Amino acid sequence: MKKYLFIILLVGVCFGQDCTAEDGTVGVELWEECYSIDNTQTISRPCIMCGGQELKGPIPHEIGLLTNLTYLNLFYNEISGPIPAEIGNLVNLTYLNLGYNELSGSIPSEIGNLLNLNYLILGNNHFSGTIPSEIGNLVNLESLDLTKNQLYGLIPEDICNLPDSVFTLNSPHLSLRSNYFCPPYPACIEDSLVQESEYCDNGEECIAGDGTDGLILWDSCYSINNTTTINLSGNNGNDLGELYGPIPSEIGQFLNLDTLNLSINNLSSSIPIELSSLSNLKTLNLHYNKLSGNLPSEIGSLSGLERLYLNYNKISGSIPNQIGNLSNLIEFHIHQNFISGSIPSEIGNLENLESLFLADNSLSGEIPIELFNLHNLKYLNIRRVPYGMSPIDGNNRFSQSFVFSNIVNLMSIEIFIAPDCGLMGTIPSEIGNLQNLQKLNIQDNQLTGIVPESICDLNIDFNATGFWDRDFNLRGNNLCMPYPSCIVGNGGMSNQDTSNCNIDLNWNFSLSEQIVTINGDDQIWNPGENISIELDLCNNSDIAHMYYPGIVLKADSQIVSIDNEYFWFYGIDSNSCNTATFNVLADSSINFNTSINFKAYADALNCENQSEYCIDSDTIVFSIPIIFETVYAYEPIQIPNEFALHQNYPNPFNPITSLRYDLPNDGLVNITIYDMMGRRVKGLVNGPETAGYKSIQWNATNDRNEQVSAGLYLYTIQAGEFRQTKKMVLLK
C-alpha cells in the first residue's frame, strides 16, 4: 500500500466581490482588501521600495462604487490597463494620484466629472491619445501632472479654464513634458511647453532624396511615387519602437507601396481607411501596437495583400465580410485583440491562406463550414485562452455546433489549435490521412465516441511532455475507451467524461457485511474512543489491475474525525476484494439513539497517466447508529464557548455541501444564501435553536426548490449580535 497526497494550489486575484468591511457594512473587495462602500473616504497604497508587494492588474470597475472617496493614492505600483470610466462616479474626490504605474489607453472624458479635484497626477505611465476637452471642467484643480506619457495631438483650448495659478511660468503645478503634443498650443501654456513633436510634421510636403515630391512621415521624407517599402519596425530587443500617435492618413498617397511594417511600436488610435488605397500592398504588418477601433471594411480593397498581421493590439468590432475579397492572402494574424462577432463565412474564399490565427479574442457564434474549404491551410489557431494566461484574456466562445470530422478536408494542416471552442462529433478514422499534422490541441470540447487507431499514423510526438503546450492534447472531452496503444498513458487523454460510454470497467465498489466495531462497552461513544469501519473494493474482472485504486471516506458530522480519509491499494487481483479499515475518532461525546452519517466513494491515483484504469465515482452513503443494550451513564453534550461560522464542506461542491456553525447560547438563528449580486437565493434556518455544534446542508436549490447555476455564493449567519459571511463555490 502506498499513500499519496495531492495538493492543488489555485492562485488568482478576484476584484469586485461583495464582502463585509471592518466596520460591519457592505464592502467591495479591491486588491485583496475589503473597503466599505458607504464609509470609505481614503485609499492610500503607494508602494515605493515595498519589496515586490506592488499592486498589479487593472483598476477594477467596482472602484466607482466608493462614491464617498475623497483621497485615492496608488502611486508607484504596477497597475496596468486603462482608467475605468467609472472613475467619474467619484465626485467627492479631491486627490487622485496614479503616477508611476503601467496604465495605458486614453484618459477617460469622465474625469471631467470630478469637479472637486485639487490634484490630478497621471505622470510616468503609458497613456496615449489626446487630452480630453473635459479637463477644463476641473475648475478647482491646483496641480496637473501628465509627465512622460505618450499623449499626442492638439491640446484642447479648454485647458485654459483651469485656475490661473496652474499656469504660472515654470510652475511646479503643471507638467505636460515628455509627450508628443503638436502646435499650436493654447495661449495659457504656449510660453512654458517644450515637446518632442517631430511626428507633428507628418503629411507635410518635402523633396525626397531622389529629387521627387515627397511627404514627411515620422521625421523622414518619403517619395510619393517611388517608395515601395516603409519598414519602421521597433524590433530592437525587448524595447518598443519610437513611433507614437495615430498612423497618418497621408499614408494612403503612397500608391506603389508593397510593404508597410510599423510593428512593435506605440502607435495608437484606429487603422485609417486611407490604407485601402494601397492597391499594390502585399505585406501590412501592424502587430504589437496599441491600435484600437474597428478593422475597416475597406481592407477588402487590398486585393494584392498576401500577409496581414494585426495581432497584439486592441482592435474591436467584427471581422468584416470583405475579408473574403483578399484572394491572395497567405497569412492572416489577428489574435490577441478584442474582436467580437462570428467568423465570416467569406473567409472560405481565401483559397491561398496557409496561416490563420484568430485566438484570444471574443469571437462567438458558429464556426463556418466554409473554413474547411481552405485546402492550403497549415496553421489554424482559434483557441479560447485559459483565464489569466494572456495579457488580454480573450474569451472566444463558439456555439456548440462545429463538427470536428470536417478536419479531414484540411489536407495540408500542420498545427490545429482549438481548445474549449465547442467542437462536437467524433474523431474520424480518416484523421490518419493528415500526414502533415504535427500538433493537435482540441482539449475541453464535446468530442465523443472512440478514438480511432489511425490517430497513431499522425506525425505527432505522443511522448512529448508539457502541459499548456503539449503537441497532443485531447483532455477534457467525452471520449470512450479503449484508447489506441500510442496514446495510452498520455496526459493529453486525461479528464474524459465517460458517463455515456456504456463501458463496464469491472470495478464494483461494495460494503462488507460486518462494517463497524466499537471500542468500549457502553452506549456512549466517548471523546478519544474510536470505531473501525471496514469497506471492500472488489474487482469482478477476469483481469488483475496492478494499479492504485482506493476508497475515500467522509463524515458529515463535525464531532468525529477520520484518522485516514484515504485508503489506497497497490493492486487488486481478478475476482477478489480488498478490505480497507478506517478508524473514526470521537471528538465529542455521542449518545445512544443517535447516528453519524458517512459517505464513501471510489477513487484512483494518477488518472491522468492511466485513465483506462480509473474507477467510476459511485458514492455509498450509510449511517452508523449508536445503540447498545447496556445501561449508560448520562454525559452532557459539550457546548461551544463562542459563536463561529465554519467554511462549508466540501468546497467546491456538487450537489450538496454542509454548513457548520457553533452556537454558545440558545436563541434565534437566521442562515441565508445569497448570490454575488447580494440577491437572496434561499433561507436555510430562520427560528429558535438550542446551543451546540450545528450543521445544515444546502442542496444547491433556491427558495422555489429550483436548481441554481454554478458559481460563487455567499452564506450569512445572524444570531443575536453575531453576524458573519463566507464564500462557497458550486461546480457543475
Side-chain angles (χ1 to χ4, degrees):
M1 183 180 71
K2 295 183 178 180
K3 297 180 181 179
Y4 290 77
L5 177 64
F6 285 86
I7 301 176
I8 300 175
L9 179 63
L10 301 178
V11 180
V13 178
C14 296
F15 289 134
Q17 298 187 25
D18 293 337
C19 57
T20 301
E22 291 184 356
D23 60 2
T25 61
V26 177
V28 63
E29 187 174 326
L30 308 174
W31 294 291
E32 300 182 346
E33 288 193 10
C34 187
Y35 295 94
S36 170
I37 292 177
D38 294 331
N39 299 331
T40 300
Q41 295 182 332
T42 298
I43 297 179
S44 183
R45 299 184 66 177
C47 193
I48 301 175
M49 301 179 65
C50 54
Q53 302 300 312
E54 296 86 357
L55 303 181
K56 299 182 179 183
I59 299 174
H61 297 275
E62 291 79 6
I63 200 168
L65 298 174
L66 308 180
T67 53
N68 292 315
L69 198 65
T70 62
Y71 188 96
L72 178 59
N73 184 2
L74 304 177
F75 180 75
Y76 224 112
N77 282 280
E78 295 181 6
I79 302 171
S80 58
I83 298 177
E86 289 80 0
I87 200 78
N89 297 340
L90 309 182
V91 294
N92 292 301
L93 209 61
T94 62
Y95 184 93
L96 176 59
N97 188 347
L98 304 177
Y100 282 92
N101 278 282
E102 303 293 329
L103 294 163
S104 60
S106 59
I107 299 173
S109 60
E110 289 79 3
I111 211 153
N113 297 342
L114 310 182
L115 302 183
N116 292 304
L117 204 60
N118 301 139
Y119 294 87
L120 177 58
I121 303 169
L122 304 178
N124 291 274
N125 280 285
H126 306 291
F127 292 115
S128 59
T130 59
I131 298 177
S133 61
E134 290 80 1
I135 200 81
N137 297 344
L138 307 181
V139 294
N140 291 302
L141 205 64
E142 299 175 12
S143 180
L144 174 62
D145 182 1
L146 303 179
T147 304
K148 291 187 178 179
N149 281 286
Q150 294 142 28
L151 300 167
Y152 58 82
L154 298 176
I155 299 173
E157 288 287 342
D158 303 79
I159 201 171
C160 295
N161 295 338
L162 300 180
D164 292 340
S165 58
V166 173
F167 306 107
T168 303
L169 189 63
N170 299 320
S171 168
H173 305 302
L174 174 67
S175 182
L176 304 178
R177 60 186 176 84
S178 297
N179 282 285
Y180 300 90
F181 297 120
C182 296
Y185 304 129
C188 56
I189 59 174
E190 61 182 357
D191 295 331
S192 59
L193 188 62
V194 178
Q195 292 290 295
E196 300 286 340
S197 58
E198 295 89 349
Y199 91 98
C200 294
D201 296 329
N202 282 343
E204 291 189 5
E205 297 179 354
C206 59
I207 302 299
D210 60 1
T212 61
D213 292 338
L215 293 176
I216 294 176
L217 299 177
W218 296 288
D219 207 31
S220 295
C221 185
Y222 294 91
S223 170
I224 296 176
N225 294 323
N226 298 334
T227 298
T228 59
T229 299
I230 296 178
N231 186 354
L232 298 175
S233 173
N235 190 11
N236 55 346
N238 295 322
D239 296 329
L240 297 177
E242 298 180 355
L243 304 187
Y244 296 91
I247 300 173
S249 59
E250 290 81 5
I251 198 76
Q253 299 185 37
F254 295 85
L255 301 182
N256 292 313
L257 202 64
D258 68 12
T259 299
L260 178 59
N261 185 356
L262 306 177
S263 63
I264 318 179
N265 278 289
N266 283 287
L267 296 171
S268 54
S269 193
S270 58
I271 299 174
I273 60 174
E274 289 80 3
L275 281 175
S276 62
S277 302
L278 306 180
S279 57
N280 291 303
L281 200 64
K282 294 182 178 180
T283 298
L284 176 58
N285 190 348
L286 304 177
H287 94 271
Y288 219 112
N289 277 283
K290 299 173 182 177
L291 298 169
S292 57
N294 296 339
L295 178 60
S297 60
E298 290 81 0
I299 201 81
S301 302
L302 303 178
S303 57
L305 200 63
E306 296 177 356
R307 290 173 173 81
L308 177 58
Y309 306 109
L310 303 174
N311 46 301
Y312 286 95
N313 278 286
K314 301 177 182 180
I315 301 170
S316 56
S318 60
I319 300 174
N321 298 337
Q322 291 80 358
I323 201 74
N325 298 338
L326 306 182
S327 57
N328 291 302
L329 202 62
I330 298 173
E331 296 185 1
F332 180 29
H333 294 186
I334 198 170
H335 52 287
Q336 296 232 335
N337 277 283
F338 299 122
I339 300 295
S340 58
S342 59
I343 301 173
S345 60
E346 289 81 1
I347 209 160
N349 299 337
L350 308 181
E351 58 184 19
N352 292 305
L353 198 65
E354 296 181 1
S355 180
L356 178 60
F357 281 62
L358 304 175
D360 311 344
N361 281 288
S362 298
L363 293 163
S364 59
E366 296 186 0
I367 300 175
I369 189 66
E370 291 82 1
L371 186 66
F372 296 91
N373 296 338
L374 306 177
H375 301 302
N376 291 306
L377 196 63
K378 297 179 180 179
Y379 311 104
L380 176 61
N381 190 340
I382 56 175
R383 75 174 180 180
R384 173 181 183 257
V385 68
Y387 181 78
M389 297 296 293
S390 160
I392 298 182
D393 293 330
N395 193 28
N396 287 345
R397 179 59 72 184
F398 301 106
S399 58
Q400 299 176 3
S401 61
F402 175 73
V403 180
F404 177 70
S405 59
N406 293 308
I407 191 177
V408 299
N409 296 323
L410 302 178
M411 294 301 297
S412 300
I413 197 71
E414 297 178 8
I415 296 177
F416 187 94
I417 301 176
D420 200 11
C421 288
L423 310 187
M424 301 184 68
T426 60
I427 299 176
S429 60
E430 294 85 357
I431 196 171
N433 298 332
L434 304 179
Q435 294 297 299
N436 296 310
L437 190 59
Q438 303 172 24
K439 186 169 185 174
L440 177 64
N441 185 343
I442 48 176
Q443 73 174 85
D444 299 327
N445 285 288
Q446 288 81 49
L447 299 176
T448 59
I450 301 293
V451 182
E453 283 287 342
S454 60
I455 203 166
C456 297
D457 297 332
L458 297 176
N459 190 28
I460 291 178
D461 183 3
F462 294 105
N463 297 316
T465 59
F467 187 76
W468 295 111
D469 198 38
R470 53 166 59 101
D471 292 341
F472 175 77
N473 198 344
L474 272 63
R475 58 183 288 150
N477 281 283
N478 308 310
L479 298 168
C480 300
M481 296 171 281
Y483 301 137
S485 57
C486 62
I487 61 176
V488 171
N490 189 295
M493 287 302 301
S494 64
N495 298 339
Q496 303 292 334
D497 182 359
T498 59
S499 57
N500 295 318
C501 290
N502 297 319
I503 296 177
D504 187 5
L505 298 178
N506 294 312
W507 290 107
N508 181 22
F509 183 44
S510 61
L511 291 172
S512 62
E513 294 182 3
Q514 184 68 38
I515 65 170
V516 179
T517 58
I518 189 166
N519 301 335
D521 56 2
D522 57 22
Q523 293 176 305
I524 298 176
W525 187 5
N526 289 306
E529 291 184 341
N530 62 65
I531 62 172
S532 62
I533 300 176
E534 295 181 353
L535 305 175
D536 280 350
L537 185 66
C538 301
N539 176 21
N540 296 327
S541 171
D542 294 329
I543 303 173
H545 290 283
M546 298 304 295
Y547 190 48
Y548 305 96
I551 304 173
V552 179
L553 183 68
K554 297 290 184 183
D556 290 337
S557 175
Q558 299 179 41
I559 54 181
V560 300
S561 59
I562 305 169
D563 289 347
N564 182 14
E565 297 177 347
Y566 304 88
F567 194 98
W568 302 102
F569 301 98
Y570 182 75
I572 298 182
D573 294 332
S574 59
N575 294 301
S576 68
C577 299
N578 285 13
T579 300
T581 300
F582 300 88
N583 291 322
V584 182
L585 188 71
D587 297 327
S588 303
S589 295
I590 305 171
N591 291 311
F592 83 117
N593 288 331
T594 61
S595 62
I596 303 297
N597 297 320
F598 294 88
K599 64 177 179 179
Y601 54 92
D603 206 348
L605 288 176
N606 207 11
C607 289
E608 181 170 326
N609 295 325
Q610 298 287 343
S611 53
E612 71 271 29
Y613 296 138
C614 286
I615 304 172
D616 290 336
S617 298
D618 297 328
T619 301
I620 296 175
V621 180
F622 59 96
S623 296
I624 298 177
I626 312 300
I627 301 175
F628 295 93
E629 296 179 355
T630 57
V631 179
Y632 78 101
Y634 174 75
E635 181 173 327
I637 299 175
Q638 292 188 356
I639 303 298
N641 295 322
E642 58 185 15
F643 286 104
L645 178 64
H646 302 283
Q647 188 62 54
N648 65 301
Y649 181 85
N651 187 37
F653 73 98
N654 181 25
I656 296 176
T657 188
S658 294
L659 282 59
R660 302 174 292 119
Y661 53 102
D662 303 342
L663 299 178
N665 306 305
D666 298 347
L668 295 175
V669 177
N670 180 280
I671 299 178
T672 307
I673 308 292
Y674 299 93
D675 64 18
M676 296 305 296
M677 299 296 294
R679 296 171 296 199
R680 175 188 168 102
V681 176
K682 187 165 187 170
L684 297 180
V685 178
N686 188 22
E689 288 205 0
T690 58
Y693 298 92
K694 305 290 184 176
S695 178
I696 191 170
Q697 290 187 326
W698 183 44
N699 62 356
T701 61
N702 58 23
D703 284 328
R704 299 182 297 276
N705 288 322
E706 301 167 338
Q707 290 291 319
V708 300
S709 59
L712 287 171
Y713 291 87
L714 303 174
Y715 57 102
T716 298
I717 184 172
Q718 178 76 51
E721 295 182 354
F722 176 76
R723 181 182 176 90
Q724 192 173 358
T725 300
K726 289 185 176 293
K727 301 174 186 176
M728 57 182 167
V729 181
L730 171 62
L731 299 179
K732 293 190 176 180

